[in-house]
Amino acid sequence: MQAVIQATGLTRRFGAREAVEGLDLEIPAGQVSAFLGPNGAGKTTTIRMLLGLLRPHGGRCEVLGRPPGHPEGLAQVGALVEMPSLYDHLTGEENVRVTQMLRGLPRSEVSRVLGLVGLAREARRPAQTYSLGMRQRLGLALALLGEPKLLILDEPTNGMDPAGILEIRELLRTLPERTGAAVFLSSHLLAEVEQVAQHLVVLHRGRLRYQGPLAALGAGLETRIRVRVQEPGRAQEALGALGHRVEALEDHLRVWAPAEAVPDLAAALVRAGAGVLELAPEHPNLETRFLALLEEGA
């Protein structure tokens, strides 16, 4: 699959501290790719290097086949780094119109991008009356001008309420299909990333910890089975006798065993008279897999 971002050995220092160290990236086209890492991991520094806002001290990278900051490359990249800069006294439509004129784009681009982000009805309201979610959508509309092949977004839902996060989530999830643009976004909201991204890059202390399909992260984690019974004591004894690790939680038991063991677990619980209420494999969420990856590298 064609890559929209490629980097080899990308390095950036601030004084004696290496914010990004030997980073290799390959971001696929046509997908939402998420860039994860704890605060201070080097995500924003990397994004600024990709946009040509910071010079790397080592390595090389290409964005859409060109060096960062190249005018022809930048013309095909839309970016939203932190909060969008808007003219509050202008309407949403006028904000987009200003950028459209500065870039020499067709007037039709204004209505196209406002429609894409769902602001067509609110386009004639002053930007100062917009909610945080609407302001972010307006920022995305500005980034979508000129039909970019790549969108680079730094914390697009930072500080937003649940309703605003939902708005942006639904928009980001469908953007590659609706526009053909690849999306590369950094975020610390793992539950949101899990619902929009297909590809994942994890950075920790400036170093790459994982790169690949989101579904493959943590594929080697031990499977767990959720067990709810009427007689937890009997259940714990019966399951322990099978040689499985059993953890007693507040309202259920957790058993470390492969999914194929569920029939044997059920039979043992029935023989023990534990009164089975629920028996189901637990699939670790992104947060669990992410934290396990960081612990592994600590």
Side-chain angles (χ1 to χ4, degrees):
M1 184 178 293
Q2 181 184 1
V4 291
I5 297 173
Q6 288 185 306
T8 306
L10 201 60
T11 299
R12 173 71 196 197
R13 293 182 296 276
F14 293 101
R17 183 178 70 87
E18 284 202 325
V20 177
E21 183 180 348
L23 179 61
D24 296 337
L25 283 179
E26 189 165 343
I27 305 304
Q31 294 188 19
V32 177
S33 297
F35 196 22
L36 301 182
N39 289 338
K43 303 188 300 297
T44 298
T45 298
T46 301
I47 285 175
R48 291 184 180 277
M49 286 192 286
L50 295 176
L51 292 172
L53 300 174
L54 280 177
R55 280 181 174 273
H57 290 130
R60 59 183 297 275
C61 63
E62 290 185 346
V63 178
L64 298 175
R66 299 185 182 277
H70 191 285
E72 290 185 24
L74 283 179
Q76 301 178 76
V77 177
L80 179 58
V81 180
E82 298 173 348
M83 296 295 293
S85 297
L86 305 175
Y87 298 103
D88 280 344
H89 64 289
L90 298 182
T91 67
E93 182 178 12
E94 289 167 341
N95 269 278
V96 179
R97 178 96 169 102
V98 168
T99 303
Q100 169 257 320
M101 289 191 295
L102 287 173
R103 294 185 56 186
L105 298 170
R107 178 68 182 266
S108 58
E109 276 292 279
V110 177
S111 56
R112 183 186 73 85
V113 297
L114 288 170
L116 270 175
V117 301
L119 284 179
R121 287 188 172 184
E122 313 292 341
R124 297 190 178 181
R125 282 175 48 185
Q128 63 190 4
T129 68
Y130 281 13
S131 67
L132 193 54
M134 292 170 67
R135 293 177 71 86
Q136 287 294 87
R137 280 194 281 157
L138 185 56
L140 279 172
L142 295 171
L144 286 164
L145 282 168
E147 301 187 73
K149 295 180 180 179
L150 171 65
L151 279 174
I152 297 179
L153 311 174
D154 189 17
E155 300 284 359
T157 57
N158 195 25
M160 295 176 63
D161 61 21
I165 290 173
L166 178 61
E167 291 176 7
I168 300 301
R169 177 209 303 163
E170 294 306 314
L171 176 59
L172 294 178
R173 189 187 351 232
T174 60
L175 270 178
E177 183 178 346
R178 294 166 66 194
T179 69
V183 179
F184 183 57
L185 67 95
S186 76
S187 180
H188 64 279
L189 300 177
L190 301 183
E192 292 304 312
V193 165
E194 194 164 21
Q195 296 184 65
V196 301
Q198 298 86 47
H199 186 83
L200 203 61
V201 176
V202 179
L203 202 62
H204 189 213
R205 297 175 182 171
R207 295 184 178 183
L208 183 68
R209 293 292 299 119
Y210 176 81
Q211 181 169 211
L214 185 147
L217 176 64
L221 286 178
E222 196 173 4
T223 310
R224 301 174 302 185
I225 311 294
R226 177 186 175 90
V227 178
R228 282 200 311 120
V229 294
Q230 294 173 330
E231 300 289 341
R234 292 185 183 182
Q236 193 164 1
E237 184 178 345
L239 296 174
L242 294 177
H244 299 301
R245 176 185 164 198
V246 182
E247 180 183 6
L249 301 175
E250 186 175 343
D251 63 347
H252 68 281
L253 301 176
R254 178 177 290 155
V255 184
W256 272 258
E260 297 77 26
V262 167
D264 292 338
L265 301 183
L269 292 170
V270 170
R271 286 195 301 269
V276 180
L277 301 174
E278 181 184 3
L279 191 62
E282 283 185 346
H283 300 288
N285 60 20
L286 179 57
E287 180 180 11
T288 300
R289 292 179 281 159
F290 174 75
L291 293 175
L293 178 68
L294 297 192
E295 288 173 6
E296 177 186 315

